[in-house]
Amino acid sequence: MNIHIISVVPELLDSPFGHSIMKRAADKGLMHVTIHHLRDWAVNAHGMVDDYQFGGGAGMVMMCEPLANAIEELNAKHNFDEIIYLTPDGGVFNQHMANALSMKKSLLFICGHYKGIDERIREHFITREISIGDFVLSGGELAAAVVVDAIGRLIPGVLNDETSALFDSFQDNLLAPPVYTRPEDFRGWKVPEVLMSGDHKKIEEWRYEQAMKRTEDRRPDMLNNEE
Ligand code: ADE
């Protein structure tokens, strides 16, 4: 999968894709992330990409021209399946969306800053708007990193044990059950006996019960949500 990200603070994205599973995805050639600096399409030699908003009010707005030129140039080369704007008023990101996006070949993410981007870019170029939750970040970069991470780990071959993503929280509309590792007894705090039994059927049943209980306790809304 090819992922392109347009940002006015590309330094914010230096690290998230250079480690751990995202690095492995890149090393295996399964996910390639390219960060573009919007200032490369600035309207003047001062690097101008934003301007005052019409109608007055505090805060700058990211201008049409740099964004339109950047999107058109990159889209002509990469033919994006989706052009995604990260914004707190987008649809709230979830595992269902991550699954759908992980099947695409080429995605472009636009990170907003200041007051956001000119509405005409949203109307004419953006195919999907995503929020990562009901709070406001200072820009879309960290949101883009979250979304790309969630998508990247679902690409077949990225995780070593391919089945492990299938048992993630949310993947079956349940939270994940508790997990334990050695030692079996830490300060007298013992691992549930069933996990030491070697009886795989019993272990599966226990995990399902625990996942169900955890979901009922913490996220009962998920059990009523028939998505
Ligand atoms: N940009 C600012 N806040 C955001 C959020 N909650 N989700 C996505 N992009 C954002």
Side-chain angles (χ1 to χ4, degrees), residues 87-180:
T87 174
D89 58 3
V92 179
F93 190 59
N94 59 20
Q95 195 65 29
H96 180 73
M97 235 186 260
N99 288 335
L101 291 174
S102 74
M103 288 177 230
K104 309 283 182 181
K105 289 215 157 38
S106 131
L107 299 173
L108 175 63
F109 290 90
I110 315 284
C111 304
H113 258 268
Y114 323 115
K115 273 278 162 197
I117 67 176
D118 191 297
E119 186 68 17
R120 290 165 290 184
I121 295 295
R122 298 173 72 160
E123 285 168 8
H124 296 284
F125 291 104
I126 301 298
T127 61
R128 188 193 287 257
E129 301 188 326
I130 296 179
S131 162
I132 62 159
D134 290 344
F135 42 80
V136 180
L137 300 166
S138 46
E141 285 76 10
L142 298 183
V146 165
V147 171
V148 172
D149 186 294
I151 294 171
R153 60 194 297 287
L154 295 173
I155 298 170
V158 168
L159 294 183
N160 272 342
D161 176 1
E162 265 208 43
T163 59
S164 71
L166 297 176
F167 295 106
D168 284 345
S169 278
F170 301 107
Q171 206 58 269
D172 50 6
N173 275 331
L174 292 178
L175 297 180
V179 292
Y180 299 85

